[in-house]
Amino acid sequence: MDLSIHQPVIARIQQFEGKQITLNGWVYHTRDLRKLVFIQLRDGTGTIQCIFNKEEVSEEIFAAAQSAGQESSVSITGKVVADPRSPLGFELQASNIEVHQAVSDYPIGPKEHGTGFLMEHRHLWLRSKRQHAIARIRNELIKAIRDYFEWQAFTLVDAPILTGVACEGTTTLFELDYHGEPAFLTQSGQLYMEAAAKAFGRAYCFGPTFRAEKSKTRRHLHEFWMVEPEVSYLDLAGDMELTEDFVSYLIGRVCGERTEELAILERDVGRLKAAARTPYPRLSYDEAVEILKKEHNIDHEWGKDFGAEEETLLASRHDQPTFIHRFPAACKAFYMKRDPDNDKLSLSMDLLAPEGYGEIVGGAQREDDYETLVGRMREEGIPEQPLSWYLDLRKYGSVPHAGFGLGIERTLAWICGIKHVRETIAFPRMLEKIWP
C-alpha cells in the first residue's frame, strides 16, 4: 500500500508500522557507510532514521541519498519498521528520495559555535535540537496559561499595543507618531484589564509588551510577552494565592507533558518539581531587608527596589519561588493601593524564581478610591486628562481589585534552565539587535 503523507507525521509514526509512506522534511544528519546511508530526517515534529541499502535501491537513488547534505529539503519514501534501538522505536527502510534542494554549505555544523555567531544566524539556529526543545516547552507553557484561565472562568480581553499613556514610567517608552499625535508601544495591558475586570469580573490579556531599557543583562529583552490577569473583589492576599496556584499549575503541567524536551536541555526536573508545591514562602519587604543585612551583610537602602544580586540571595533560601510583599510605595507605581496599616507601604508583591532567575511575577492590589488616586497622580505630576477613562473606573462601580503580570520569557528561562532570555523567544529584540 502506498500512502503519501503531505503533513508532519514523524511524531505519530507508530500509526504507519508496516506501511509504505512518504515523509517530507529536512536532512538533520547523514552517515555514509559505503553500502548503507543513514539519514536522520526531521519534519518539525520529530526526527527519524531513514536507511538506504545500496543493494535494494538504484544507483541514482543511492547517490542522491549520499549527496544530501545537512538541511537539504527532501521527500523520502519507504516502509515503517519497528526498531527498539531507535529513540522513536521505528525507522524507515527507504526505497526512494526526492531532493527538492541540495545543500552543501549549511553554516551551522556539528562543531562548537559562539553565541554571537548563532544569534546572527538565529533564523537557522531555530532548526537545532536544543531550540526545538525550548520552542516546544514555550508552546506547552502558553497552552497551559490559556487552559488555566479558561478553567478559572476568566475572559480573554485583548489590550491595545498602541497606547497614549505610560503604565510603568516614561523612561522606558518606545515613542512613535500616531497621525500627528504621540503614541507608545505598550509597556503593559494592566490599565485596560482593570476596565475589563469591571465588565467581566475576571479578565486577562496575553500579548507582546515593550520596554526601552538601556540594559544588556541576561534577564532583559526590549520586546517580551506577558500574561496579565485582573480580578474584581480581590485583595493582596487573594492575589498571591491566585499567583501561586497559577505558577504551580504551569510548572506541574510542563514537567508532566515535556519530559523529553527537559531531558534534552539537561534540566534538573527534581528542582523544578519542587516549585509545583504550594504554599510558596512569603517575606515582607522589611523582613527581606533584614535578611540581607543579617545573613549577607548587605546594607540595603530602605525604599529602594531590590537588584538582581539581592533577588538571587533572597530566592535561594528555598526551592520554591518566594513572594516579597508590601514594598515601599515610593518605589512602586502610583496605582498601587497603600497599606492601611502603614501609608509608606504599598499592597504589592513580586514573585522571585529560585536559582537566580529573579522576578517572574509582579502584582498588586490597585487603588480603588477616586479621590485618593487623583491625589497620587497630582503628587507625581501625572496628567489627568489622558487617564480620564482610567479614573472613570473609580467613579462608576469601583470595587477592591488586584492582578499581576507574568513574563513569559523570564519564566521560560527558569523552567528550561537557560542562562539568558534571548533563547526563549524565536527572534529576540535586544539593545542593538533588531534583526533577523
Side-chain angles (χ1 to χ4, degrees), residues 12 20 23 39 58 101 127 159 167 179 190-191 233 246 255 268 339-340 396 416:
R12 51 189 178 89
Q20 283 283 122
L23 294 173
I39 289 180
S58 68
Q101 184 182 55
R127 305 181 187 187
C167 181
H179 304 293
Q190 179 215 308
L191 304 186
Y233 298 99
F246 175 56
C255 287
D268 185 344
D339 187 338
Y396 307 111
C416 293

Side-chain angles (χ1 to χ4, degrees), residues 223-240:
E223 177 184 331
F224 60 96
W225 283 65
M226 191 153 62
V227 57
E228 299 177 272
E230 196 75 22
V231 184
S232 292
Y233 298 99
L234 192 71
D235 59 11
L236 176 62
D239 201 25
M240 288 193 283

Side-chain angles (χ1 to χ4, degrees), residues 279-295:
Y280 290 163
R282 288 160 165 74
L283 293 171
S284 71
Y285 176 88
D286 287 345
E287 289 171 332
V289 169
E290 192 67 15
I291 287 169
L292 290 172
K293 183 177 181 179
K294 287 187 174 181
E295 297 183 11

Side-chain angles (χ1 to χ4, degrees), residues 66-232:
Q66 287 179 306
S67 64
Q70 184 182 357
E71 290 306 318
S72 294
S73 50
V74 299
S75 296
I76 298 178
T77 300
K79 183 180 179 181
V80 178
V81 297
D83 182 355
R85 298 168 298 178
S86 168
L88 289 176
F90 296 89
E91 63 185 18
L92 196 71
Q93 292 181 347
S95 57
N96 191 29
I97 182 171
E98 180 183 358
V99 180
H100 302 291
Q101 184 182 55
V103 175
S104 60
D105 57 350
Y106 188 64
I108 302 177
K111 67 177 183 179
E112 288 291 327
H113 295 284
T115 302
F117 175 87
L118 291 171
M119 289 305 297
E120 288 177 9
H121 295 83
R122 182 64 174 165
H123 52 297
L124 302 178
W125 192 21
L126 291 175
R127 305 181 187 187
S128 73
K129 190 176 183 179
R130 172 184 170 87
Q131 300 307 314
H132 275 204
I134 295 169
R136 290 195 179 103
I137 293 171
R138 182 185 176 108
N139 185 68
E140 188 68 40
L141 179 64
I142 290 172
K143 285 169 57 182
I145 287 169
R146 296 192 183 280
D147 287 345
Y148 179 87
F149 286 122
E150 182 72 19
W151 296 334
Q152 295 294 330
F154 279 74
T155 299
L156 174 66
V157 178
D158 295 319
I161 291 176
L162 292 174
T163 72
V165 296
C167 181
E168 298 293 333
T170 59
T171 60
T172 62
L173 286 167
F174 282 106
E175 185 173 348
L176 49 83
D177 178 84
Y178 190 75
H179 304 293
E181 296 289 334
F184 312 98
L185 296 178
T186 184
Q187 299 168 311
S188 165
Q190 179 215 308
L191 304 186
Y192 298 96
M193 288 309 98
E194 291 188 52
K198 299 300 191 304
F200 300 101
R202 293 180 160 213
Y204 80 101
C205 63
F206 192 5
T209 54
F210 306 85
R211 305 281 171 88
E213 295 174 302
K214 303 294 185 183
S215 174
K216 291 184 178 181
T217 78
R218 64 185 179 89
R219 296 181 179 183
H220 291 89
L221 294 171
H222 282 347
E223 177 184 331
F224 60 96
W225 283 65
M226 191 153 62
V227 57
E228 299 177 272
E230 196 75 22
V231 184
S232 292

